[in-house]
Amino acid sequence: MHKIAKRGIFAVLGTAVLVSTQAGVAYANQYDRVVETVPAGSRVTWKADGEHLLIKDTVKDGHSAVALFRWWDQSEGRFHSYTYFNRDGVDSVRDVNLNLGEGHTVNIKACVGDWKGNLEDSLPTLNHCNWDWEVTMS
């Protein structure tokens, strides 16, 4: 009887671990992308499901993590370009929740920079951007 009780407990625990592991799995979309600065300092992640741009500061260096983001507007025949700063310090992540809808071409870059109170004064401080735009879809 004692062995049967132990087996039952282990079966329940095993099932609970399996269920919690499967529930915690996040499946990547084929259009998800990650770019980083070299040297380190900023990591930008594009999550196509829900159109999230995650900007992580990866180094305690006094600089902000920055994402350059643009999307192609087929109806207007042009890119819409945006710059997002994460000014919250090392290991922080800024989640920019965009509302593009599916099927748009999007481009991302990761940079570091210094926030100067407004975008116009801050743009000249951008550096260490990854070379090429990472191109994907929404």
Side-chain angles (χ1 to χ4, degrees), residues 35-107:
V35 293
E36 297 188 54
T37 58
V38 177
S42 177
R43 178 182 307 123
V44 175
T45 303
W46 170 250
K47 294 287 191 182
D49 287 336
E51 297 93 31
H52 287 266
L53 191 65
L54 306 173
I55 308 153
K56 182 172 184 176
D57 190 330
T58 60
V59 175
K60 186 175 183 176
D61 58 6
H63 300 293
S64 297
V66 181
L68 301 181
F69 175 83
R70 65 185 188 183
W71 66 277
W72 180 254
D73 187 333
Q74 185 68 33
S75 66
E76 295 181 13
R78 70 179 185 97
F79 278 106
H80 293 269
S81 299
Y82 303 90
T83 303
Y84 298 101
F85 278 74
N86 173 0
R87 306 176 312 208
D88 294 334
V90 68
D91 293 329
S92 66
V93 177
R94 178 178 177 191
D95 181 350
V96 180
N97 187 0
L98 300 161
N99 188 16
L100 298 178
E102 294 181 15
H104 293 284
T105 300
V106 299
N107 302 167

